[in-house]
Amino acid sequence: MGQQTIIKLVDGNLMPQLGIGVWQASNEQVVKAIDTALNVGYRSIDTAAIYHNETGVGKALRESCIPREEVFITTKLWNDRHQDAKTALQESLDRLQLEYIDLFLIHWPVPQQDKYVETWKQFIELKESGLVRSIGVCNFHIEHLQKLFSETGIVPAINQIELHPLMQQRQLHSWNATHHIITESWSPLSRGGKGVFDHPLVESLAIKYDKTPAQIVIRWHLDSGMIAIPKSVTPSRIKENFDVFDFRLEKEDLTIMAGLDIGKRLGPNPDTYNLTVLNLG
Ligand SMILES: NC(=O)c1ccc[n+]([C@@H]2O[C@H](COP(=O)([O-])OP(=O)(O)OC[C@H]3O[C@@H](n4cnc5c(N)ncnc54)[C@H](OP(=O)(O)O)[C@@H]3O)[C@@H](O)[C@H]2O)c1
């Protein structure tokens, strides 16, 4: 297996290009999944307050023999805490039992609340305090990013957005890149690969490179310059998803992958999503 790739963020910090996501995994599942992931070589974990599994992430880290500074931890601020980011971060730190977080993200812009610029100002202070190393956002459209920049002059290091072969978000990705914001893909496998893994174009690339469809899709993210955080609690898939550093997709195959884009959103639209209830179960 080749060496994993590392991305330099606009603030100079380094982030692994491939991590593991833990949405919809219980604390118990997360402890096992992260144990497997760290043993395979993952060094980046994506959680959020709303996932209710930060406790499990922290436990897995403590039980591993890997030094804290070698693992990149991301968590996110939920929609009901936009006014209260500092306290919410401290609560996340307490659940994770960590002294700092590598990346803190505003989970959704919730434009109806219109508080995200104020939240971003708190994030800038949190970065200055050292409690978080890098700050970023999720699900921000160009107009939301422009507003952050025009009012604070500071761009997010990361914009984590829904991005997979069925919705490739080329315009937003390109805008992010122009403004030194790294695009991070959520639901990178289109949530289990429905309509992607069995697509004839992906199947043919899997045969060509002697890899699985999931590995082709993950490689497509990496070769397109995105960070990807595929989620799995299945040990064989956790290993499979990381076994992607011994090949690259040729340019013509990246062009082939572009043909899968049908603009199919699997999650909510950030322009209208305003769920603020924290207790989703
Ligand atoms: N910022 C946001 O608003 C936001 C929104 C959604 C997600 N996220 C983050 O992005 C991460 C990934 O997104 P996601 O969980 O929605 O979807 P995903 O990673 O695209 O897909 C996860 C699903 O694919 C399955 N899977 C994983 N590897 C596979 C493989 N090699 N072959 C076949 N099936 C495979 C998993 O099953 P098993 O687990 O059963 O193996 C799970 O059902 C999340 O965990 C979360 O950290 C962020």
Side-chain angles (χ1 to χ4, degrees):
M1 197 184 282
Q3 187 78 16
Q4 68 167 308
T5 38
I6 305 291
I7 296 277
K8 190 171 192 175
L9 306 178
V10 67
D11 58 16
N13 290 331
L14 302 178
M15 177 172 182
Q17 198 179 6
L18 181 61
I20 185 166
V22 296
W23 181 43
Q24 291 183 317
S26 66
N27 279 301
E28 209 175 312
Q29 287 176 314
V30 157
V31 172
K32 289 186 190 142
I34 294 178
D35 177 52
T36 305
L38 292 175
N39 283 324
V40 169
Y42 290 80
R43 290 294 180 270
S44 174
I45 300 161
D46 183 88
T47 184
I50 194 69
Y51 300 170
H52 297 288
N53 58 22
E54 291 172 311
T55 311
V57 172
K59 184 164 187 266
L61 281 178
R62 283 192 305 285
E63 287 178 358
S64 84
C65 52
I66 301 180
R68 164 69 185 97
E69 62 276 13
E70 289 182 20
V71 189
F72 192 101
I73 303 293
T74 300
T75 195
K76 314 186 190 89
L77 179 83
W78 189 240
N79 301 339
D80 61 345
R81 306 303 294 275
H82 275 206
Q83 273 174 315
D84 196 15
K86 291 180 182 174
T87 315
L89 172 71
Q90 193 53 56
E91 289 166 9
S92 282
L93 287 168
D94 291 347
R95 285 189 290 266
L96 287 156
Q97 292 193 36
L98 293 178
E99 289 180 357
Y100 71 91
I101 281 163
D102 295 279
L103 177 63
F104 196 34
L105 302 173
I106 301 179
H107 209 145
W108 292 87
V110 201
Q112 297 85 343
Q113 284 188 162
D114 196 22
K115 290 180 191 151
Y116 61 83
V117 172
E118 290 312 308
T119 311
W120 189 239
K121 289 178 183 165
Q122 294 179 58
F123 269 48
I124 293 166
E125 287 174 19
L126 284 170
K127 178 168 164 49
E128 284 162 3
S129 77
L131 289 173
V132 302
R133 297 277 157 94
S134 293
I135 51 175
V137 297
C138 306
N139 303 304
F140 272 46
H141 286 163
I142 292 171
E143 71 204 74
H144 310 134
L145 294 164
Q146 279 171 327
K147 200 165 163 190
L148 286 193
F149 186 64
S150 68
E151 300 208 22
T152 68
I154 309 262
V155 290
I158 292 280
N159 188 13
Q160 185 186 106
I161 55 174
E162 179 180 344
L163 199 161
H164 44 77
L166 303 178
M167 194 169 92
Q168 301 191 10
Q169 302 248 40
R170 279 191 288 272
Q171 192 194 2
L172 182 50
H173 178 206
S174 151
W175 196 93
N176 285 340
T178 309
H179 294 81
H180 311 291
I181 301 167
I182 302 291
T183 299
E184 183 174 16
S185 308
W186 64 254
S187 293
L189 302 176
S190 312
R191 295 195 178 152
K194 204 163 166 270
V196 175
F197 291 174
D198 57 356
H199 193 290
L201 292 176
V202 176
E203 283 181 336
S204 70
L205 292 179
I207 292 168
K208 174 176 171 180
Y209 290 94
D210 195 18
K211 287 284 178 180
T212 67
Q215 290 168 333
I216 295 295
V217 171
I218 292 168
R219 202 59 244 176
W220 167 75
H221 286 278
L222 305 184
D223 291 335
S224 305
M226 277 89 77
I227 287 175
I229 42 167
K231 173 262 177 183
S232 180
V233 292
T234 312
S236 60
R237 290 173 173 172
I238 294 171
K239 289 184 193 132
E240 174 188 342
N241 295 348
F242 200 72
D243 184 13
V244 293
F245 295 108
D246 57 354
F247 77 114
R248 289 182 72 94
L249 295 185
E250 290 165 17
K251 216 171 175 185
E252 70 201 39
D253 294 330
L254 292 175
T255 309
I256 286 177
M257 289 295 290
L260 270 72
D261 191 2
I262 50 170
K264 185 176 176 185
R265 200 182 275 288
L266 304 175
N269 188 326
D271 284 332
T272 50
Y273 188 63
N274 63 358
L275 190 70
T276 51
V277 186
L278 185 58
N279 188 14
L280 289 181

